[in-house]
Amino acid sequence: MQRRRFLGVSILSLAAVAAHGVSLGQAAEKKRSRLVLLGTKGGPRVGGAGRSNPANLLVVDGVPYVIDCGYGVSRQLVRAGVPLNTLRYIFLTHNHSDHVLEYGPLLYNGWATGLKQQVDVYGPPPLAQPTEAFMQSLRFDIDTRIGDEGKPDLRKLVVAHEIAGDGEVFRNDSVRVTAMRVAHPPIRDAYAFRFECPDRVIVFSGDTAYLPRLAEFARGADVLVHEVMYLPGVDALVKRVPNAATLREHLLASHTLTDDVGRIAQAAGVQTLVLSHFVPGDDASITDEMWAEGVRKHYGGRIVVGADLMEI
C-alpha cells in the first residue's frame, strides 16, 4: 500500500488505494472519523495543475458528511470510494461558485445512483431558493424518471437549512457542528465549521481573511483545515484572468496569507494544521515547501500541505 509523507505526517494515498481495489474502510486503520480532502484548489477556474475545486469529506461512524461542493465533487467522492447514493449531510461554507457549483448536480448524481433517504443541507442564505431553482431546472427530467423508472421524488428528499448566525447548527448521536461567521468580503454570510466527532475535533476555516478570533473558535482542535494564499503567486494569477479588473484587491482583502495562517494555528493550539483551498491553486511552480515556509515561521506543530484525495 502506497503512503506519502508530507512534512512529518504520514498520509494514505487514496488514489493508490483505488488502484489496488481496496475500500476506504479496509485501507486505513479503522477509526470513527475519517477526513479526506476531495478538492484543494481555491477559486472556480479549472486549471491544469491537477487540483480539483473546493470540497472535503468527513466519514463518522460510516456516515459521509460533505463540506462544500466545488466542481468535480461527485467524481472525487466516487474516486474516494464513497457511493453517491449514501449522501446524508452536506455543509456549505458560503455561496461563492467554487464552493457550490456542483451542489445541485451532486444531489442529482446521488439520486441517479439510487439515493432514497433524506439529505439535509446546511449553509448560509440563499440556500432554499437555489435548491428549489435547481430542482425546477430539471423538472422535466425528474418527473419523467419518477414515472418511467419508479424513482422517489428527489425534491422531497432534500431539506435545506439556512444558517442564521454563529452557534450550533447541527447535532446527532455522533457529531456536533457549530458555525462562526468569518471575514470574506463582500460576502457577509461566510462561515467556518467546527465538527466535534467521537474521537477528535476538526475545524474548517472556510474562505476568510486573517481573523484572529478564528483561533478561539479552533481552540484545542485536533485538526484545523485552513485556506491559504501565497502572495508572490497572486500577481501571476491575476495576469491569467484578464476579465477581472479588481481580482487582486478581492484576494488580498478576503484570504489569509501563509504567515497569518501560522499565527492562527499557533494561537489555537491545534495539533495538526492542514493547508487547503490554495490561492493560487493552479500554479504548479509553487512547491509544498513554498506553501509551508511562511506558516512555519509562526506555528510549531505538524503541517500538512494538502492534496486532492489525501486522507488525514
Side-chain angles (χ1 to χ4, degrees):
M1 188 69 61
Q2 178 185 355
R3 285 183 181 268
R4 293 185 287 166
R5 188 166 294 273
F6 290 80
L7 301 177
V9 181
S10 180
I11 307 297
L12 179 66
S13 171
L14 295 190
V17 171
H20 285 79
V22 181
S23 71
L24 278 174
Q26 297 169 322
E29 295 179 6
K30 289 187 177 180
K31 296 183 179 180
R32 298 189 71 186
S33 70
R34 307 177 64 237
L35 168 61
V36 182
L37 310 180
L38 298 175
T40 57
K41 176 192 173 298
R45 297 168 309 284
V46 179
R51 294 188 185 274
S52 188
N53 297 103
N56 294 284
L57 168 70
L58 273 177
V59 180
V60 184
D61 291 337
V63 177
Y65 298 73
V66 177
I67 300 93
D68 285 329
C69 295
Y71 182 73
V73 63
S74 299
R75 180 194 66 240
Q76 294 296 83
L77 282 167
V78 171
R79 292 180 67 191
V82 177
L84 298 183
N85 60 14
T86 64
L87 282 175
R88 185 64 186 85
Y89 301 107
I90 297 173
F91 293 81
L92 302 175
T93 59
H94 66 296
N95 285 304
H96 258 147
S97 60
D98 53 324
H99 294 255
V100 300
L101 196 59
E102 201 166 313
Y103 160 54
L106 174 60
L107 294 170
Y108 183 91
N109 290 337
W111 184 66
T113 55
L115 178 71
K116 57 184 179 180
Q117 72 275 5
Q118 178 172 306
V119 178
D120 289 283
V121 186
Y122 298 83
L127 178 59
Q129 184 275 329
T131 302
E132 181 179 351
F134 175 79
M135 299 299 178
Q136 182 63 26
S137 73
L138 287 180
R139 177 180 175 180
F140 176 85
D141 180 272
I142 293 172
D143 286 344
T144 299
R145 295 186 186 279
I146 289 173
D148 189 45
E149 301 175 17
K151 288 182 175 292
D153 191 336
L154 175 60
R155 293 160 294 202
K156 296 179 180 180
L157 296 179
V158 180
V159 180
H161 307 266
E162 294 192 342
I163 298 173
D166 294 0
E168 182 178 295
V169 296
F170 173 82
R171 181 196 290 263
N172 63 16
D173 292 339
S174 300
V175 178
R176 177 176 183 258
V177 183
T178 52
M180 187 194 80
R181 183 177 277 114
V182 292
H184 190 52
I187 295 178
R188 179 177 182 273
D189 291 317
Y191 288 91
F193 289 126
R194 181 183 178 103
F195 283 75
E196 298 176 24
C197 308
D199 57 325
R200 58 179 173 169
V201 175
I202 300 171
V203 174
F204 299 90
S205 73
D207 283 17
T208 182
Y210 176 49
L211 188 65
R213 74 185 188 98
L214 181 60
E216 184 59 35
F217 183 71
R219 180 84 61 197
D222 299 282
V223 179
L224 170 61
V225 181
H226 202 295
E227 71 129 74
V228 63
M229 181 168 64
Y230 182 66
L231 185 58
V234 170
D235 288 333
L237 166 63
V238 170
K239 291 179 181 178
R240 296 195 298 274
V241 190
N243 67 341
T246 58
L247 176 60
R248 189 178 193 277
E249 289 78 2
H250 162 72
L251 294 175
L252 294 179
S254 303
H255 295 282
T256 309
L257 294 171
T258 55
D259 287 43
D260 289 331
V261 174
R263 291 184 175 98
I264 293 294
Q266 185 67 26
V270 297
Q271 296 181 20
T272 298
L273 170 65
V274 179
L275 303 180
S276 190
H277 193 282
F278 296 98
V279 180
D282 52 4
D283 188 339
S285 70
I286 305 175
T287 66
D288 285 3
E289 178 56 33
M290 292 162 73
W291 286 113
E293 181 182 10
V295 177
R296 195 181 295 111
K297 294 177 184 177
H298 306 281
Y299 174 64
R302 293 187 292 181
I303 302 171
V304 177
V305 180
D308 289 6
L309 296 178
M310 177 186 289
E311 180 175 350
I312 311 299

